[in-house]
Amino acid sequence: MLHFSVQDDHVHLIVEADGTLPLSRGIGALKIRAARAINRVLGRHGAIWADRYHARALRTPSEVRAGLIYVLHNWKKHIRNARGLDGRSFAAWFDGWAEPPARHLGNSPVAAPRTWLAAVGWRRHTVGPLRKSEAPRGWPGGFVI
């Protein structure tokens, strides 16, 4: 898992996987680990997740950049006039902002990218670092590539 955003009833993730089987196994392991932690905190037991997920392969630097904007700014879809960084996402640790956050939160809660596309490619072959004012395509104030 490289990037995440937690919404009220779903999560958005950007992950790296070596194929569909490793992706499926990784999502399954994440679902189990998260369900155990959530149930422990809430003092309950049982299923937390639906038995499905939607996966979309990001194949170009522009697609990765658009995916980053979608995941890190998804809260703007749910909270009217949202500004700044989403506190329920990886945004505070993300190092691809045009204007970096003022404070550092310590070690990242996710893995460092292994692929060229996720680590370097989107930075070199797109319109530049992400801006806090951007929003995913189709939303007011959407970006243009």
Side-chain angles (χ1 to χ4, degrees):
M1 177 173 28
L2 303 179
H3 309 287
F4 67 87
S5 173
V6 179
Q7 305 303 314
D8 289 339
D9 59 355
H10 63 283
V11 296
H12 293 278
L13 307 171
I14 294 180
V15 302
E16 289 177 322
D18 293 328
T20 55
L21 184 57
L23 174 63
S24 180
R25 287 182 177 160
I27 294 296
L30 175 65
K31 288 168 54 175
I32 291 167
R33 186 172 179 180
R36 286 180 177 160
I38 291 167
N39 283 336
R40 185 173 44 253
V41 168
L42 297 177
R44 54 162 291 196
H45 64 279
I48 298 292
W49 307 100
D51 287 333
R52 65 176 200 264
Y53 66 91
H54 171 76
R56 180 176 187 276
L58 304 176
R59 292 185 169 88
T60 68
S62 293
E63 285 181 348
V64 171
R65 188 177 192 283
L68 288 167
I69 291 170
Y70 186 83
V71 170
L72 298 177
H73 285 314
N74 193 268
W75 71 316
K76 293 179 178 181
K77 178 179 174 182
H78 303 282
I79 300 174
R80 190 173 184 89
N81 298 321
R83 300 218 189 306
L85 300 178
D86 180 359
R88 298 182 304 175
S89 77
F90 176 72
W93 289 274
F94 181 62
D95 68 354
W97 296 114
E99 312 88 26
R103 64 185 182 113
H104 297 281
L105 300 176
N107 294 334
S108 172
V110 299
R114 295 180 298 141
T115 62
W116 174 87
L117 191 58
V120 177
W122 77 267
R123 297 170 195 262
R124 289 191 183 164
H125 298 281
T126 62
V127 296
L130 273 57
R131 293 177 302 280
K132 295 173 190 166
S133 61
E134 290 184 275
R137 287 185 195 203
W139 295 355
F143 67 93
V144 176
I145 293 179

